[in-house]
Amino acid sequence: MSVDRARVERLTRELLEAIGEDPDRPGLKQTPSRMGELYAEFFAGVGEDAAAPLAHTISVARGPAPDTLPSGAVLLRDIRFRSVCEHHLLPFAGRAHIAYLPGEQVVGLGALVRVVETLAARPQVQERLGEQIADSIAEHLDTRGVLVVLDASHGCVTMRGGRQPEASTLTIAARGEYTDAVARAELIALIGASTGSAHP
């Protein structure tokens, strides 16, 4: 499903009029078309299959490096993402950290990034985003455990209400063996050692 850019443009004109602005003045004349492009980009994940990137797996035993069978977790840290909060349509952005305990089948690391990007490119709340990423990986990969940690800064906290520019939100979603707090403690420590910041 693609974003209806023409409709977004019409509605943007109407919104500008609703706040008492003149959508035909020079500074705003191109705003409706810019909003059409912006929304097409921000919401490109609506209706897309987030698990599609996970369809191409690699056999560990019969793959290109059969002598490197992972004995522990595969951890991909500091995946930058941005999304739009469905409550106020304000952006939130930060970093995702994904770990999974592989079975016989693994996936290219870029596929994990694409799962995050697809699910983030739709109206979201951070809590659900983390759960959806975890579910997609747990259900479509050969895994014994999945851990997803999101650390993000929210426009609805930094720009309105309490206006706390340094505040960030941390959420954790766990599946399989990582539902046990002891089992995921090492990974949480490794993620915490990341030099990245939640703020883009």
Side-chain angles (χ1 to χ4, degrees):
M1 177 181 170
S2 61
V3 171
D4 186 341
R5 295 190 189 194
R7 189 174 183 189
V8 171
E9 291 183 26
R10 291 195 302 272
L11 292 171
T12 300
R13 282 187 61 86
E14 187 175 338
L15 177 61
L16 290 170
E17 291 170 350
I19 65 171
E21 265 290 1
D22 175 11
D24 291 316
R25 74 173 172 82
L28 292 174
K29 201 159 190 175
Q30 299 303 316
T31 298
S33 63
R34 291 186 185 116
M35 288 295 289
E37 292 176 14
L38 176 73
Y39 273 42
E41 179 184 338
F42 270 27
F43 301 119
V46 175
E48 294 295 310
D49 180 6
L54 304 175
H56 180 67
T57 59
I58 305 162
S59 168
V60 173
R62 298 182 307 280
D67 55 338
T68 58
L69 180 67
S71 59
V74 174
L75 171 59
L76 183 58
R77 297 190 310 185
D78 294 326
I79 304 167
R80 283 183 174 266
F81 76 91
R82 58 111 177 94
S83 189
V84 175
C85 175
E86 64 186 35
H87 296 156
H88 299 97
L89 294 183
L90 286 172
F92 65 96
R95 285 176 165 84
H97 313 280
I98 299 174
Y100 74 99
L101 277 170
E104 208 286 315
Q105 297 286 324
V106 295
V107 71
L109 297 177
L112 300 177
V113 174
R114 291 193 293 276
V115 170
V116 174
E117 290 174 340
T118 300
L119 289 168
R122 53 184 72 171
Q124 276 289 10
V125 293
Q126 181 175 332
E127 298 88 340
R128 184 177 64 224
L129 176 58
E131 298 293 333
Q132 288 178 340
I133 294 168
D135 283 339
S136 294
I137 297 168
E139 293 170 11
H140 295 90
L141 274 188
D142 179 16
T143 67
R144 292 170 285 133
V146 177
L147 181 68
V148 177
V149 178
L150 303 182
D151 190 358
S153 176
H154 290 250
C156 57
V157 175
T158 62
M159 300 183 342
R160 65 173 300 276
R163 297 184 186 178
Q164 297 295 313
E166 301 302 317
S168 71
T169 300
L170 189 75
T171 56
I172 298 172
R175 302 292 182 272
E177 292 187 20
Y178 290 134
T179 56
D180 177 65
V182 175
R184 66 176 180 252
E186 180 184 13
L187 289 175
I188 296 292
L190 288 170
I191 291 168
S194 169
T195 58
S197 164
H199 303 283

